[in-house]
Amino acid sequence: MPSIAKGAALQTVITTFETNPGNCRDLIEALTSAYDQFIAHQPGFIGAGLHVNDAQTRVANYSQWDRREDFQAMLRSDEMVRRNKAITEMCRSFEPVMYDVSAVFDR
């Protein structure tokens, strides 16, 4: 399960996908399938969440990994390259970006 904490020894990746309402459900299904069947079983995977905006034009994916190299190895695998080709067809664009947590705010 993802946990947000400043200074945590892990890699956070936020990926935003730009799509259209007609492709949003298919994109969510493709991403869910990728996590269920492949990504969640890769070394270093901690957890992830998918978020969809009201207009169904953007999907945000938040994932956490033990190390940057774990995420990169998953992304470069033959399985994920194949899946990303199909995902690309459902999107105008998508971009995974690695982040470090700089602050956390709770109520």
Side-chain angles (χ1 to χ4, degrees):
M1 170 181 283
S3 174
I4 302 172
K6 184 176 179 180
L10 53 82
Q11 181 63 63
T12 299
V13 181
I14 300 174
T15 306
T16 53
F17 301 83
E18 289 190 42
T19 190
N20 63 55
N23 287 336
C24 188
R25 176 172 283 182
D26 292 337
L27 176 58
I28 291 294
E29 288 176 5
L31 291 168
T32 299
S33 173
Y35 273 103
D36 286 343
Q37 297 173 9
F38 182 70
I39 299 171
H41 306 284
Q42 298 310 295
F45 177 77
I46 296 171
L50 295 173
H51 308 263
V52 180
N53 71 334
D54 289 345
Q56 295 188 343
T57 56
R58 292 183 186 262
V59 173
N61 172 222
Y62 182 93
S63 66
Q64 291 181 328
W65 297 82
D66 286 332
R67 302 173 315 126
R68 171 182 296 254
E69 294 81 9
D70 294 329
F71 173 75
Q72 291 170 328
M74 177 279 300
L75 204 56
R76 293 179 182 139
S77 69
D78 291 342
E79 176 72 12
M80 208 58 221
V81 167
R82 181 185 63 76
R83 287 180 183 267
N84 277 337
K85 285 180 182 178
I87 289 168
T88 298
E89 293 178 12
M90 295 177 238
C91 302
R92 286 189 289 276
S93 67
F94 76 93
E95 180 180 13
V97 179
M98 296 184 199
Y99 292 90
D100 293 320
V101 177
S102 63
V104 176
F105 306 94
D106 291 318
R107 219 171 103 177

